[in-house]
């Protein structure tokens, strides 16, 4: 159950007219009162022998009476509006049940505490099966102001208890860092315009991508405009830019004026100060990503995220998750068409998991950000299915660890968002990896070479060897081993190195996991014979990285 508090100025006249009207898309069906402050307020929806407009006037006049009595002493904010919506799968509640829910909500908010006969005036209007609207005035009948400190949190807490009491879908408690949801009005407008998302959601996605791709503030605004976003800067008398707003071309109000959204209203981490903090970690100086394959660099950086989530402080961990979210925002732009939709869904879901009240150390994740930017800046040069498959494979492990990290810190919404992202990433991985593995398998070496690699495999990972040899990806693994050998690597040493990188115990497909590791290691500069001999003499078996947390086991790769 989702309550959403909105406050405003002036009279309740326009709000009452909207609630008892047809709606923006004729969606209001049978609007009527289910409850009120005195249980006998005039009901425009249940007065068949009177002019509805006259009844509406009577209703908002009675609602506004305590405010009108104060005259000039009335507060600036006088209207309190709270839609309360049930989930689509919830049972249809009766008018009596919605009435009781309304009373609990206004009591929790401090609008009308139970038994307080001098509380604020309010009404609950129902015009659909799945929700009600509560309209109230913010002056008590004794002329005082209601005590509604932290009413948003209080109402959310009451909603969670209502879900339990009525057997409704139980939502995750939040921490106040979620992005603002589109309103019903915005949803209906998007549907009317044939958009697959609301303007707010489209703008949020484009701003996040621009932030992930940009290295400077100037580039950030250039990328926004290049993506079809209209940008309006807020400039101080000194000439300094202190904020920005964005709009979509053609998205206008009734007066034909553009509808603007400040970055901070799209999401808390998209305000200009927050964007500047993020961009400070990707400026050209003082650290640069070393020349090399950016897919490999990004994958190596993503593979270090589980270590940061389990061993680093919370600020570093939060910075890693924010960078991973930025990487997912850009990956869909470099992906083949078949996987693009799932990657976009994964990015949209993980956006919530990448933000919490913990202050992020963005500098700790600059290598991941810069390497993904290098991929995005030159997709033709760096485009390769194996690189994308490797990076998604590493991201799957990182997201599985993110689920546990948020769970241990009781970030319920972020945990659920990471779990949703994991599902979409798995689907994208299957679409990206399968054709690459098939292509590698077609280049599989001869039987003699494969027998030799199987022998090396038995020595390197005896506990997984049989499973790997019976996996469809075994031919692909044999191919990358053969190609690494042709480049001057020692296949046995390379297998040992790949196995030491991370345990295979929690891999859904150890053969696939090893294929990506060998592919990346095999493309590095091969050591000379003397170096290989020295490595063989001094190699010490290091303990494997701990497996994924039990609840995440088997989810990735």
């Amino acid at each position: 159950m989702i309550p959403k508090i909105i406050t405003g100025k002036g009279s309740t006249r326009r709000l009452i007219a909207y609630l008892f009207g047809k709606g923006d898309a004729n969606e209001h069906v049978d609007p009527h009162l289910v409850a009120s402050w005195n249980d006998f307020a005039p009901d425009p929806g249940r007065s068949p022998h009177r002019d509805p407009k006259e009844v509406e006037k009577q209703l908002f006049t009675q609602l506004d009476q305590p405010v009108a009595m104060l005259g000039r002493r009335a507060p600036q904010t006088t209207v309190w509006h709270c839609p309360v919506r049930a989930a689509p799968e919830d049972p249809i509640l009766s008018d009596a049940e919605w009435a009781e829910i309304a009373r609990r909500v206004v009591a929790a908010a401090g609008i009308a505490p139970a038994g307080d006969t001098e509380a604020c005036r309010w009404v609950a209007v129902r015009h659909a099966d799945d929700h009600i609207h509560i309209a109230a005035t913010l002056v008590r009948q004794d002329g005082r102001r209601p005590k509604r400190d932290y009413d948003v949190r209080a109402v959310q807490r009451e909603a969670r208890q209502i879900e339990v009491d009525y057997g409704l879908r139980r939502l995750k408690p939040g921490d106040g860092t979620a992005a603002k949801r589109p309103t019903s009005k915005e949803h209906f407008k998007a549907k009317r315009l044939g958009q697959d998302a609301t303007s707010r959601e489209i703008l949020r996605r484009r701003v996040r991508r621009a932030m992930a791709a940009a290295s400077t503030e100037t580039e950030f605004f250039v990328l926004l405009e290049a993506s079809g976003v209209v940008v309006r800067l807020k400039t101080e008398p000194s000439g300094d830019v202190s904020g920005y707003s964005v709009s979509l071309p053609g998205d206008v109000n009734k007066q034909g004026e553009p509808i603007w959204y400040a970055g901070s209203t799209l999401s808390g981490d998209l305000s200009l100060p927050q964007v500047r903090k993020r961009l400070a970690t990707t400026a050209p100086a003082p650290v640069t990503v070393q020349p090399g394959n950016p897919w490999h660099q990004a994958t190596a950086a993503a593979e270090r995220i589980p270590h940061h989530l389990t061993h680093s402080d919370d600020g570093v961990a939060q910075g890693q998750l924010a960078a991973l979210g930025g990487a997912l925002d850009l990956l869909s732009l470099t992906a083949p068409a078949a996987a693009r939709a799932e990657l976009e869904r994964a990015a949209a879901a993980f956006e919530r998991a990448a933000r919490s009240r913990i202050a992020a150390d963005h500098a700790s994740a600059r290598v991941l950000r810069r390497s993904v930017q290098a991929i995005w800046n030159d997709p033709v040069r760096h485009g390769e299915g194996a690189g994308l498959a490797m990076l998604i494979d590493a991201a799957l492990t990182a997201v599985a660890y993110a689920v546990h990290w948020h769970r241990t810190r009781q970030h319920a919404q972020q945990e659920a968002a990471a779990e949703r992202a994991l599902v979409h990433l798995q689907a994208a991985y299957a679409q990206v990896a399968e054709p690459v593995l098939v292509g590698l398998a077609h280049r599989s070496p001869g039987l003699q070479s494969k027998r030799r690699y199987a022998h090396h495999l038995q020595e390197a990972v005896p506990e997984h060897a049989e499973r790997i040899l019976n996996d469809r990806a075994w031919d692909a693994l044999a191919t990358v081993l053969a190609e690494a050998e042709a480049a001057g690597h020692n296949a046995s040493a390379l297998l040992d190195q790949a196995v030491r990188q991370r345990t295979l115990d929690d891999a859904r497909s150890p053969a696939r996991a090893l294929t990506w590791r060998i592919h990346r290691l095999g493309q590095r500069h091969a050591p000379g014979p003397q170096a290989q001999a020295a490595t063989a003499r001094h190699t010490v078996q290091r303990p494997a990285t701990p497996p994924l947390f039990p609840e995440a086991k088997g989810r990735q790769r």
Side-chain angles (χ1 to χ4, degrees), residues 172-251:
K172 305 292 184 181
D175 59 0
T177 62
K180 186 177 180 181
R181 295 174 180 269
T183 64
S184 298
K185 188 175 181 179
E186 290 173 341
H187 277 299
F188 285 120
K189 183 177 182 180
K191 185 177 180 180
R192 188 170 66 251
L193 296 176
Q195 298 175 178
D196 61 351
T198 65
S199 295
R200 181 188 300 276
E201 292 167 315
I202 293 170
L203 287 167
R204 184 185 299 135
R205 181 166 62 240
R206 293 185 185 180
V207 173
R208 294 193 69 85
R209 284 177 174 171
M211 182 174 64
S215 296
T216 66
E217 185 174 325
T218 300
E219 187 180 9
F220 169 67
F221 290 124
V222 169
L223 289 171
L224 272 180
E225 292 179 341
S227 69
V229 173
V230 183
V231 180
R232 183 177 66 182
L233 301 182
K234 180 182 178 181
T235 307
E236 299 298 322
S238 63
D240 295 333
V241 176
S242 59
Y244 73 98
S245 299
V246 290
S247 177
L248 285 179
D251 185 20

Side-chain angles (χ1 to χ4, degrees), residues 70-144:
L70 290 182
R72 293 182 178 181
R73 294 183 293 113
Q76 278 195 334
T77 302
T78 54
V79 179
W80 190 89
H81 175 206
C82 182
V84 185
R85 185 177 298 274
E89 64 269 29
D90 284 339
I92 295 177
L93 301 175
S94 66
D95 280 359
E97 290 171 319
W98 276 119
E100 178 57 27
I101 288 171
R103 293 186 185 97
R104 291 175 62 168
V105 169
V106 293
I111 297 294
D116 187 347
T117 58
E118 297 297 321
C120 298
R121 295 185 175 185
W122 61 274
V123 293
V125 180
R126 183 180 188 180
H127 52 217
D129 287 339
D130 63 348
H131 71 279
I132 59 171
H133 290 257
I134 303 173
T137 45
L138 292 175
V139 174
R140 291 167 48 87
Q141 295 178 78
D142 57 13
R144 293 183 295 146

Side-chain angles (χ1 to χ4, degrees), residues 296 384 386-387 390 436-446 449-450 452-453 474-492 494-495 514-527 532:
H296 295 183
E384 58 165 321
M390 281 191 299
V436 177
L437 291 168
V438 170
L440 288 172
H442 285 162
R443 307 198 303 270
S444 181
S449 294
K450 290 176 69 174
R452 180 161 52 84
Y453 298 148
W474 161 236
D475 284 342
L477 174 56
T479 298
V480 294
L481 282 168
E483 291 177 350
E485 260 190 342
H489 289 276
N490 179 288
S492 178
L494 211 58
L495 264 173
L514 280 178
T515 298
W516 306 131
R517 296 181 196 177
I518 297 295
H519 179 79
R520 192 166 92 248
L521 293 171
Q523 291 187 4
R524 295 178 181 176
H525 180 69
Q532 289 189 20

Side-chain angles (χ1 to χ4, degrees), residues 316-500:
V316 169
Q318 183 61 59
Q320 295 288 323
L321 295 182
L324 180 59
L328 294 176
D329 286 330
L330 291 182
L331 273 186
S332 62
L333 302 179
T334 66
R340 196 168 298 148
E342 288 293 352
L343 280 174
E344 286 180 348
R345 295 185 187 106
F350 197 76
E351 178 266 338
R352 181 68 188 99
R355 187 176 55 255
S356 74
R357 288 199 171 275
I358 297 171
D361 177 1
H362 295 299
S364 67
R366 66 182 69 195
V367 173
L368 176 59
R369 288 175 56 79
R370 291 181 181 175
S371 53
V372 173
Q373 284 177 349
I375 294 168
W376 178 81
N377 280 319
D378 196 354
V380 175
R381 177 186 168 197
H382 301 304
E384 58 165 321
L388 180 58
M390 281 191 299
L391 184 49
I392 297 177
D393 178 62
L396 279 166
T397 302
V399 173
Y401 269 82
V403 172
H404 180 84
W405 189 82
H406 283 305
R407 179 175 299 144
T408 58
R409 285 153 185 78
Q410 298 183 335
H411 299 166
Q413 289 186 357
Q414 290 90 332
E415 176 194 342
E419 288 180 332
R420 292 195 301 272
L422 204 56
V423 173
H424 295 301
L425 269 183
Q426 287 170 340
Y429 174 76
Q431 292 165 339
V432 171
E434 194 60 33
V436 177
L437 291 168
V438 170
L440 288 172
H442 285 162
R443 307 198 303 270
S444 181
L447 187 58
Q448 185 174 355
S449 294
K450 290 176 69 174
R451 284 175 177 170
R452 180 161 52 84
Y453 298 148
H455 175 71
H456 294 326
L457 198 63
Q458 292 281 2
E459 292 183 334
V461 277
E463 68 276 21
H464 295 291
E466 183 177 356
R467 184 181 173 191
I468 293 172
L469 293 173
N470 290 322
D471 195 304
R472 288 191 307 152
W474 161 236
D475 284 342
L477 174 56
T479 298
V480 294
L481 282 168
E483 291 177 350
E485 260 190 342
H489 289 276
N490 179 288
S492 178
L494 211 58
L495 264 173
D496 287 337
Q497 186 179 354
V499 169
R500 291 199 304 272

